[in-house]
Amino acid sequence: MIAHYGSCHCGAITLELRDEPVDAGECNCSLCRRNGALWHYSAPKQVTVTGDAVSYVQGDRMLTTWHCGICGDVTHWTSLGDPTYDRMGVNLRMFAPELWTGLPRRLIDGASF
Ligand SMILES: [Zn+2]
């Protein structure tokens, strides 16, 4: 397994991904449609994040969205509250385009729930 390395624009937040994205999730919720993230869902144990990301919790959603406090890039999200939820989201746009430009897009209908 080859690890993939990404970072926010300024480099303060780094991401190491140890699984292989097969598609790129595009969510239409009020937050994601603004920040333009392309999501890959991963088990948290497959991802290492370094740096001091800033948290944002969208209304009553059960997840925390993280961004860089310096350059503002949205890097990932983590589950909030449910310790059995073994999933987090990684923003593929923080990685080299070769990793994700050719992936099929998967529409996530976050606006409906
Ligand atoms: Zn940054």
Side-chain angles (χ1 to χ4, degrees):
M1 174 59 63
I2 299 165
H4 302 288
Y5 298 92
S7 72
C8 65
H9 190 261
C10 75
I13 310 293
T14 68
L15 299 157
E16 179 183 326
L17 177 64
R18 291 177 298 276
D19 66 8
E20 208 60 46
V22 294
D23 57 20
E26 201 167 344
C27 178
N28 63 359
C29 84
S30 57
L31 183 61
C32 294
R33 70 178 162 83
R34 285 179 166 83
N35 66 40
L38 285 176
W39 296 116
H40 166 62
Y41 294 165
S42 195
K45 68 175 188 302
Q46 306 277 56
V47 181
T48 303
V49 180
T50 67
D52 293 320
V54 179
S55 66
Y56 178 71
V57 178
Q58 178 189 1
D60 59 356
R61 298 294 168 97
M62 292 306 289
L63 53 87
T64 304
T65 305
W66 298 91
H67 67 272
C68 174
I70 300 168
C71 69
D73 283 349
V74 172
T75 52
H76 63 296
W77 61 256
T78 52
S79 172
L80 183 66
D82 181 357
T84 65
Y85 189 74
D86 191 37
R87 212 152 70 142
M88 65 178 286
V90 172
N91 185 0
L92 290 174
R93 290 194 189 274
M94 300 302 111
F95 293 80
E98 292 73 28
L99 179 64
W100 52 266
T101 46
L103 296 179
R105 302 297 171 93
R106 175 172 47 87
L107 180 65
I108 302 163
D109 190 16
S112 299
F113 54 88

